[in-house]
Amino acid sequence: MNKPLRRASVFSLLLVMTLLVWITYVQLARGASLRDNAHNSRVAISEYAGPLGDILAGGERVTGSAATQGNLKYKRTYPDGKLWAPVTGYASQSYGSTQLEALERQVLDGSDSRLKNPLQALTRERSKPGDVITTIDPAVQKAAYRGLGNKTGAAVAIDPTTGAVLALVSTPSYDPGTFAGSSSADQKAWNALQKDRKQPMLNRALRQTYPPGSTFKVVVAAAALENGLYSSVDEPTKSPDPYRLPGTVTDMHNESSSAPCENATIRTALQYSCNTVFAKMAVDLGQSKVAAQAKKLGFGDSALDIPVRAAKSVYPSGMNDSQTALSGMGQFDVTATPLQMAMVSSAVANDGKLMTPYEVDRTTDGSASALDHASARTYSRAMSQHTASELRSAMRTVVDQGTGANAKIPGVAVGGKTGTAQHGENNSANPYAWFMSYADAGGGHKVAVAVVVEDSDAARADISGGGLAGPIAKAMMKAALP
């Protein structure tokens, strides 16, 4: 063989070897990332080649699948989409998926390795899809959704003994089925939702934070009892009325000048929602002790997954004394999700032990066999049994004799705390109406609830936690109890 031909042969051999090495690299090192790339049309074709598994609540299938034309042979359907969207999220041929539809995608589309038998594992044949069984109680979910109605807001219910989420509602809501396909109508529906100023696709129960207003006074009261500032909810506090904010010439007053807030007990201060008592209490404790108590209840947690990630609730740091005073009544820069305030109520109801909230009970192989099963986990020892008992007693007074009367349920021990949080620059916008509560029907039947009404048709003077949010919480608690 002459020299030029030999060089050409060696060069060609090197090219072939390089190609083989590259193919091997792509298949082994990058195969998974290329296969799962959102721009790979084969992913969507495979995902929607057959019916998806379903998400269930109380034995009821809240999702479905329907045959279509084209390469994507099936699309997701939602029989009552607006009710369940805050739980399910959406699965769209064009716009991807969110929440449980995304987090449990491999179970729902049959690609989870636990669904495959040995032959399917070798052939990569699609398995029968599995199902996702949630902890949501349809009766509680519907009670919250009906109660919120046309209002903008959110509601959460939790089983305090386990942490199981019984309801997760956000309004206004949206129907994920309107854009589940890939037609021009689906695109139009999607675009309309993106432009909607009311943000129906925002999950307010998990992803929106609000100033918690007077509901945060329960956290401050817990800190006062835990740190020995006061020994019981019936010990008089050292609280002037009005209260001069430290370092200022501004006097804080209470909503009602006739309320018995001067040196009031914690019980009376919660009953009449005395701003002066809890503002001074926060200053007397110091922001570090209030912050420590808030942290035990979930504030500051940026990785709270139920399994959908919740927004971080915040008790601020670096405050001066006057700002600390405002934080004591749930204002300044204190923010909380509805889930967070339901967790506070849950800890009080469960003798001070806060359970980690979760909304998926188990996943299955589409029949009776479970792939995994959730178990109750303790989030923290948020407060002592004594403190929790004292707070339950004081919160019952709020419902029996105070601002939470709209939440009374005959024959059931109900405790609550109302809140009306300032909103907008110089409190120019309508305030947020809050209600957090617990109900104990005996025999281990308990429920903890938080409701926030962000916007309603009520006149500003008629907006209150007890008036707007209280009746919704009552309906949810009644639906949860036997």
Side-chain angles (χ1 to χ4, degrees):
M1 181 182 295
N2 59 38
K3 191 173 182 180
L5 185 58
R6 185 169 59 252
R7 287 179 175 175
S9 300
V10 171
F11 181 69
S12 298
L13 181 61
L14 289 174
L15 288 177
V16 171
M17 291 178 65
T18 302
L19 181 60
L20 289 173
V21 170
W22 174 250
I23 291 173
T24 302
Y25 166 73
V26 168
Q27 289 181 332
L28 295 180
R30 297 188 58 197
S33 62
L34 292 172
R35 184 172 61 252
D36 297 334
N37 191 295
H39 298 290
N40 182 357
S41 60
R42 291 185 179 183
V43 174
I45 291 172
S46 174
E47 189 174 5
Y48 292 102
L52 294 171
D54 285 318
I55 299 172
L56 290 83
E60 171 186 345
R61 293 183 182 273
V62 300
T63 59
S65 295
T68 63
Q69 303 295 322
N71 290 332
L72 306 180
K73 298 186 180 301
Y74 286 84
K75 72 172 184 178
R76 188 53 119 184
T77 59
Y78 299 88
D80 199 351
K82 288 187 176 181
L83 172 64
W84 296 106
V87 176
T88 62
Y90 63 78
S92 170
Q93 293 177 346
S94 300
Y95 304 106
S97 55
T98 59
Q99 296 185 195
L100 294 187
E101 290 278 30
L103 295 171
E104 303 290 354
R105 175 53 41 180
Q106 291 186 325
V107 170
L108 294 168
D109 68 13
S111 62
D112 192 303
S113 60
R114 294 172 297 174
L115 295 167
K116 299 181 183 297
N117 60 41
L119 181 59
Q120 290 171 327
L122 289 173
T123 62
R124 295 187 180 180
E125 179 186 350
R126 178 190 175 101
S127 304
K128 177 185 175 183
D131 293 329
V132 176
I133 316 298
T134 71
T135 59
I136 305 296
D137 183 330
V140 186
Q141 183 82 359
K142 291 172 184 177
Y145 186 70
R146 285 193 299 266
L148 283 166
N150 294 325
K151 305 175 187 69
T152 299
V156 177
I158 297 175
D159 180 341
T161 60
T162 64
V165 177
L166 304 178
L168 195 70
V169 172
S170 175
T171 57
S173 189
Y174 67 99
D175 183 358
T178 60
F179 57 89
S182 53
S183 68
S184 58
D186 292 274
Q187 183 179 356
K188 184 177 180 181
W190 171 267
N191 290 337
L193 286 168
Q194 302 307 302
K195 296 175 183 177
D196 194 328
R197 292 184 178 181
K198 293 184 177 180
Q199 295 182 283
M201 298 184 74
L202 172 62
N203 190 332
R204 290 173 167 83
L206 296 178
R207 298 298 305 165
Q208 182 67 24
T209 58
Y210 304 89
S214 293
T215 59
F216 191 74
K217 292 171 181 175
V218 174
V219 178
V220 180
L225 294 170
E226 287 289 279
N227 287 280
L229 184 62
Y230 299 106
S231 61
S232 81
V233 294
D234 294 309
E235 178 184 344
T237 64
K238 298 175 182 178
S239 310
D241 183 13
Y243 171 58
R244 177 66 57 90
L245 291 174
T248 76
V249 294
T250 302
D251 285 338
M252 176 183 287
H253 297 271
N254 293 297
E255 194 71 23
S256 171
S257 58
S258 62
C261 292
E262 184 175 358
N263 299 326
T265 65
I266 290 175
R267 183 188 302 278
T268 299
L270 287 175
Q271 178 184 351
Y272 291 92
S273 203
C274 299
N275 293 332
T276 52
V277 172
F278 291 98
K280 184 174 185 298
M281 195 179 294
V283 174
D284 289 346
L285 285 165
Q287 61 182 288
S288 61
K289 290 181 179 178
V290 179
Q293 182 61 62
K295 183 178 180 180
K296 291 179 182 178
L297 289 161
F299 283 82
D301 190 343
S302 59
L304 181 59
D305 300 327
I306 70 166
V308 180
R309 174 69 53 93
K312 181 172 73 172
S313 298
V314 174
Y315 182 76
S317 59
M319 297 179 287
N320 59 36
D321 283 349
S322 64
Q323 293 166 338
T324 300
L326 293 174
S327 77
M329 46 186 278
Q331 295 291 167
F332 187 56
D333 289 338
V334 184
T335 60
T337 62
L339 173 68
Q340 173 61 76
M341 297 316 295
M343 290 170 65
V344 173
S345 189
S346 176
V348 172
N350 195 40
D351 288 330
K353 184 165 73 171
L354 176 61
M355 306 304 291
T356 302
Y358 64 98
E359 64 173 332
V360 174
D361 179 69
R362 63 190 185 278
T363 58
T364 74
D365 61 1
S367 58
S369 299
L371 301 177
D372 53 44
H373 201 294
S375 57
R377 293 185 295 114
T378 300
Y379 183 89
S380 72
R381 166 51 72 177
M383 62 191 77
S384 68
Q385 291 187 22
H386 170 74
T387 294
S389 176
E390 290 283 302
L391 291 177
R392 285 198 303 275
S393 175
M395 290 171 69
R396 284 199 299 272
T397 301
V398 172
V399 172
D400 292 340
Q401 304 173 35
T403 55
N406 283 335
K408 286 183 182 178
I409 302 174
V412 176
V414 178
K417 182 67 192 81
T418 58
T420 306
Q422 295 180 0
H423 172 219
E425 187 175 352
N426 298 319
N427 195 24
S428 57
N430 282 349
Y432 299 131
W434 277 94
F435 193 78
M436 55 173 278
S437 60
Y438 74 88
D440 186 348
H445 300 292
K446 299 178 184 179
V447 62
V449 169
V451 178
V452 63
V453 177
E454 180 181 332
D455 191 22
S456 70
D457 295 332
R460 182 185 177 94
D462 296 330
I463 295 175
S464 69
L468 285 178
I472 301 170
K474 175 181 178 178
M476 295 170 67
M477 291 186 291
K478 286 184 69 175
L481 298 174

